[in-house]
Amino acid sequence: MKIDTENHFATEAFIDALYRNPGYPRFVDDPETGERRVYHSPHYWQPFGAALVNRLLDLDEARLAAMDAIGVDMAVLSHTAPTPEQLEPKLATAIARDANDKLAAAIDRHPDRYLGFATLGPREPEEAVKELERCVKELGFVGWNTHSNFGDSYLDDKRYWPILAKCEELGVPIYLHPTFPIIPQLTDYGLALAGPGFGFGIETSLVMMRLIMAGVFDAFPRLTIILGHYGEALPFLIKRVDRSFLQYHVPRGSGSMPALKKRPSEYLLSNMYVTTSGNFFAGAFECTRTALGIEKIMLGTDYPFEDTVESGAFLDSLGLSADERAALYEENPKRLGFARR
């Protein structure tokens, strides 16, 4: 079996909300070309054309055909970025619930092909906890897909810890996916610096390190975080992230050095899984396998933002053994509960 752990969708309600949003992100059609753009500031935008939107909205034939093209048996579907999380909190909660209902209906239509990640409005934490419980216990979803920022905050903020606690209690992982960063220095050069090529990964790896430094994994030791793109460069830094804890004689808990129970690398090794999404460099795969082991890597196609055929061809070119392929495609995701409940 081949399980795709990163496969994105959207809903009509979300598309409409982005057109109506007075702030950012929002959709704007170019008056001359009719091209849809998603703006993240007055000068920072990305094309978001009709073909892409149609693929995101389709939860049936086109998506299944793309899966079949590379032999994907089952996909774990998650809401696309930009995200409901950045919208007005009550609106985000309503759109998240609608997205979960739409996804549950698609899973009912194709029960042997789809699993689901919950969408939440985390800036209403109590409502988010209730919705997560509904998604897991009633709808059968297998985790929570969230993003690198919520417009004004990051996931390590203490107001979001009840959601983290509920994920640990329910035994479901969190997929921490990039969205357009809120770090001002990353947006000065628009999409070229802030987008998927650089800024997406930089902010997402920052959030993972903030979770570690905040003591999230000491508080919730069974919590699992999934990162795409081979861990957003963190496997490359697996030893480097420990240097401040090893080189300097600064007491832990002093304010300059968090009072963690372990070294940062130990949390990466124990609490993080990664996926292959959108990174077609053999060196990145080799670094990740060396740092984390094949048992922490899973397939992620990043559909429809990446070419699934290119993704499949790249992985086929790596010359993986039968055991490695079984781990990557089936055993590792099933270990996280990515199977029919």
Side-chain angles (χ1 to χ4, degrees):
M1 173 173 276
K2 188 180 286 188
I3 301 170
D4 176 11
T5 62
E6 187 180 331
N7 194 301
H8 301 298
F9 76 100
T11 64
E12 293 282 4
F14 177 64
I15 300 299
D16 291 344
L18 284 189
Y19 272 114
R20 297 194 310 271
N21 188 20
Y24 299 98
R26 71 167 174 259
F27 280 149
V28 177
D29 290 338
D30 187 310
E32 295 183 5
T33 66
E35 177 193 54
R36 181 190 290 107
R37 299 174 174 179
V38 56
Y39 276 82
H40 304 278
S41 77
H43 308 292
Y44 166 35
W45 57 273
Q46 176 190 17
F48 218 88
L52 175 60
V53 170
N54 289 339
R55 288 194 295 270
L56 286 166
L57 292 174
D58 177 82
L59 288 167
D60 297 292
E61 287 78 10
R63 187 178 302 268
L64 292 169
M67 292 167 58
D68 291 341
I70 61 167
V72 168
D73 299 285
M74 183 171 286
V76 191
L77 304 191
S78 54
H79 200 287
T80 188
T83 71
E85 298 148 337
Q86 296 180 339
L87 299 175
E88 186 277 325
K90 289 192 180 303
L91 176 60
T93 295
I95 289 178
R97 188 176 182 92
D98 174 74
N100 294 329
D101 289 341
K102 295 291 194 306
L103 179 53
I107 294 171
D108 286 344
R109 292 195 301 273
H110 307 288
D112 296 328
R113 305 304 302 274
Y114 295 155
L115 297 169
F117 278 115
T119 303
L120 303 177
R123 289 193 290 167
E124 288 194 323
E126 291 184 7
E127 293 301 319
V129 167
K130 293 176 186 176
E131 180 64 4
L132 177 61
E133 189 153 32
R134 181 181 81 96
C135 286
V136 174
K137 291 186 175 181
E138 298 180 23
L139 304 183
F141 289 4
V142 295
W144 172 32
N145 181 84
T146 191
H147 293 84
S148 58
N149 72 76
F150 304 149
D152 62 354
S153 52
Y154 292 127
L155 185 56
D156 61 286
D157 192 305
K158 280 290 184 73
R159 76 182 108 160
Y160 306 126
W161 283 37
I163 314 174
L164 304 179
K166 181 58 67 172
C167 285
E168 184 185 53
E169 176 191 324
L170 295 170
V172 296
I174 299 170
Y175 201 122
L176 181 61
H177 188 275
T179 191
F180 296 87
I182 55 175
I183 302 168
Q185 291 80 3
L186 285 176
T187 66
D188 288 342
Y189 299 95
L191 186 67
L193 186 64
F198 188 74
F200 274 30
I202 293 297
E203 187 176 68
T204 308
S205 60
L206 168 68
V207 175
M208 183 63 187
M209 291 304 297
R210 287 177 64 97
L211 291 170
I212 291 172
M213 298 304 171
V216 163
F217 301 109
D218 288 341
F220 311 114
R222 300 187 310 279
L223 187 64
T224 296
I225 306 291
I226 306 167
L227 297 182
H229 317 106
Y230 297 113
E232 314 292 3
L234 287 172
F236 183 84
L237 300 170
I238 195 72
K239 291 296 183 182
R240 187 66 180 168
V241 294
D242 292 339
R243 295 316 299 163
S244 294
F245 286 79
L246 299 176
Q247 281 183 307
Y248 302 107
H249 301 290
V250 178
R252 295 194 185 193
S254 64
S256 185
M257 199 71 65
L260 302 179
K261 295 178 181 178
K262 303 177 185 178
R263 296 175 185 174
S265 64
E266 294 179 276
Y267 299 103
L268 295 178
L269 291 169
S270 61
N271 296 89
M272 182 178 73
Y273 277 67
V274 305
T275 74
T276 64
S277 56
N279 191 335
F280 306 137
F281 177 47
F285 178 87
E286 294 297 340
C287 175
T288 305
R289 179 168 57 180
T290 299
L292 305 181
I294 191 67
E295 66 274 10
K296 289 298 187 76
I297 308 174
M298 303 182 294
L299 170 65
T301 66
D302 205 1
Y303 178 87
F305 295 96
E306 299 288 349
D307 186 323
T308 55
V309 173
E310 182 181 8
S311 173
F314 168 72
L315 293 171
D316 287 344
S317 76
L318 295 175
L320 302 179
S321 69
D323 286 346
E324 288 175 320
R325 290 174 64 85
L328 175 72
Y329 293 135
E330 181 176 9
E331 294 168 5
N332 299 341
K334 283 189 172 179
R335 192 180 308 119
L336 291 187
F338 296 165
R340 301 304 303 167
R341 287 177 178 263

